[in-house]
Amino acid sequence: MIARLVAALLALALALTGPAFAQESEPPVTILISIDGMRPDYLDRGLTPNLAEFRQRGVAAAMRPSFPSKTFPNHYTIVTGKRPDRNGIVGNLMIDPVRPDQKFSMGDARQALDPFWWQEAEPIWITAEKVGIRAATMFWPGSEVAHEGRRPSDWLRFDQNIGNAQRVNTVLDWMRRPAAIRPRLVTMYFDTVDTAGHRFGPGRSPELDAAIAEVDARIGEVVRGVEAMGVRANFVITADHGMAETDESRVIQLDDLIDRASYVAVEAGPYAAIEPAAGTDNRVYDALLKPPAHMACHRKEQLPAHLHYGKNPRVAAIICIADNGWTILSGPPPYPVKGGAHGYDPNNSDMHALFMAFGPSIRPTEKLPLFDNVHVYPLLAALTGFEPLPSDGEAATLAPLLGR
């Protein structure tokens, strides 16, 4: 009898100190996943069985991006809680008055990797590291850049040739580590849905449907792989923006309104950022600020309040926003106009982005009203376990999702 009691106590002690108990007592990992260009209604195509299952385990909703509804500004908004006007990444292309001879471009690594452009807001992985929480970034705009000399403990330089399967395997390798060196905050980034949406438009096409289905499969591999290891994790899945259908019949040519020598188009497309050339007096303002068809132009200081845009010195003097589906050009297009585009007013439903969350800390929620993407940041901080920095996001907006 005594021998059996001792054996039972030993078995209980092993259970309470073994790997399963240790993992149960560890705080959950937070894994933030971006599906670039993923509209919420893509879930309705019957192509995403994994996301459909995860939706039932937590919540899925439409999320309003910040203006401009572009990739770099909104990715940085999600991880700082500050709108582009305050986080400094005011466009995929921009000029700072301090460096008037240089242009930031997401395609120019020399500029995109220069810390100068990213210092106006601190991303969440840096704040986590400062409070002693290990962070790892499997791609995310801004994650390759040192912030005040700091970086995430693990990070990779963005390379589009690194496929989605390899990105998944990298994250799973991080999760296999012992708890002491396992990241507790992880970011992932998938760009293939956005690429297909640009080329083929947001409507049904074999190419876009295949991209949606493939990313769904890869996310399924991440979630099931983490769960198979017994690692507790909360997943937050976001998109940066949606996508609208465009074609050659809906084009506004700036050169038809004002001579090219009089202005600089910092960025064009669904919206245009325009600087009058030196010595042009008010000719550019006079030509553009009268209401041309299918676009609205404003001085930066007179932009509609709901855009929360125009105070940052990097915002161009004139911002023109096209009607949904229209494209503003300055000369010949640098890319095919037919297909899909984003950058329009965030209130347009085509620009809305997917939001999902599920995991041990997320309360399953049947319906979540449309909300602004700045509110994701305080949710991420709460899930990871530290106080967020002051931002434009409000913790109360997504607080009902917390707690089970």
Side-chain angles (χ1 to χ4, degrees):
M1 178 68 70
I2 294 176
R4 288 180 183 175
L5 179 59
V6 170
L9 290 173
L10 283 172
L12 178 61
L14 286 171
L16 293 177
T17 58
F21 181 81
Q23 289 179 346
E24 186 66 27
S25 64
E26 293 159 8
V29 174
T30 301
I31 300 180
L32 171 65
I33 301 174
S34 167
I35 312 174
D36 198 321
M38 183 77 174
R39 288 176 26 160
D41 59 355
Y42 288 171
L43 294 183
D44 301 331
R45 298 188 176 189
L47 304 168
T48 53
N50 291 293
L51 293 178
E53 175 192 333
F54 304 149
R55 177 185 205 166
Q56 297 303 314
R57 290 162 56 175
V59 65
M63 180 174 70
R64 183 166 38 226
S66 298
F67 184 82
S69 48
K70 291 281 192 173
T71 297
F72 270 36
N74 279 279
H75 274 93
Y76 214 48
T77 291
I78 289 168
V79 296
T80 64
K82 293 184 177 181
R83 301 181 191 276
D85 211 38
R86 295 189 61 219
N87 70 38
I89 306 300
V90 301
N92 284 346
L93 301 166
M94 57 184 173
I95 296 173
D96 192 298
V98 175
R99 296 185 179 181
D101 58 335
Q102 298 176 7
K103 180 188 282 191
F104 174 94
S105 168
M106 58 187 289
D108 180 353
R110 190 163 61 97
Q111 294 298 327
L113 298 178
D114 187 339
F116 167 80
W117 299 100
W118 302 90
Q119 297 306 304
E120 294 186 20
E122 182 176 289
I124 194 167
W125 50 79
I126 298 298
T127 311
E129 293 279 355
K130 284 182 175 180
V131 299
I133 294 174
R134 189 180 184 107
T137 56
M138 179 64 253
F139 302 159
W140 194 278
S143 64
E144 307 166 54
V145 182
H147 192 95
E148 298 177 352
R150 287 180 176 264
R151 295 183 186 273
S153 294
D154 300 280
W155 62 279
L156 287 88
R157 183 149 291 167
F158 179 72
D159 184 348
Q160 203 163 21
N161 294 315
I162 296 177
N164 291 341
Q166 189 173 347
R167 301 178 195 191
V168 168
N169 289 335
T170 299
V171 170
L172 292 179
D173 283 343
W174 289 337
M175 293 297 101
R176 291 187 182 96
R177 294 176 179 174
I181 57 171
R182 181 190 305 138
R184 277 185 45 208
L185 173 66
V186 176
T187 72
M188 290 190 72
Y189 172 74
F190 297 108
D191 54 291
T192 44
V193 171
D194 179 72
T195 300
H198 278 295
R199 292 178 181 172
F200 303 101
R204 296 301 297 260
S205 68
E207 295 83 0
L208 177 58
D209 284 358
I212 294 169
E214 196 265 342
V215 169
D216 175 78
R218 298 290 84 78
I219 292 176
E221 291 171 0
V222 174
V223 175
R224 299 185 203 291
V226 169
E227 291 177 344
M229 297 176 203
V231 175
R232 298 166 67 238
N234 293 305
F235 291 87
V236 177
I237 301 173
T238 67
D240 46 353
H241 51 69
M243 190 73 68
E245 194 85 35
T246 57
D247 63 60
E248 302 92 335
S249 68
R250 292 177 289 177
V251 168
I252 304 155
Q253 181 56 254
L254 293 175
D255 287 354
D256 293 340
L257 303 173
I258 184 71
D259 61 287
R260 178 77 64 84
S262 297
Y263 73 94
V264 176
V266 179
E267 187 163 7
Y271 85 103
I274 299 165
E275 292 285 1
T280 57
D281 299 317
N282 286 322
R283 282 188 289 122
V284 179
Y285 293 100
D286 292 341
L288 297 179
L289 295 182
K290 61 185 179 184
H294 303 297
M295 76 172 180
C297 297
H298 306 270
R299 294 178 184 266
K300 62 185 288 184
E301 59 271 18
Q302 295 174 345
L303 281 162
H306 76 273
L307 298 179
H308 304 279
Y309 195 70
K311 293 182 180 179
N312 196 292
R314 295 173 179 175
V315 177
I318 300 173
I319 300 295
C320 297
I321 306 172
D323 290 349
N324 193 52
W326 284 75
T327 303
I328 305 169
L329 295 178
S330 175
Y335 51 83
V337 174
K338 182 176 175 57
H342 51 86
Y344 301 101
D345 189 317
N347 280 343
N348 189 302
S349 61
D350 283 351
M351 293 300 97
H352 292 171
L354 174 68
F355 169 84
M356 292 186 70
F358 59 96
S361 305
I362 301 295
R363 189 193 312 273
T365 305
E366 186 173 342
K367 191 169 180 61
L368 185 66
L370 178 71
F371 65 95
D372 290 354
N373 65 353
V374 293
H375 304 307
V376 174
Y377 169 75
L379 174 69
L380 293 171
L383 290 172
T384 311
F386 61 87
E387 190 72 22
L389 297 178
S391 73
D392 298 317
E394 297 177 0
T397 300
L398 297 179
L401 300 183
L402 294 171
R404 296 181 71 170

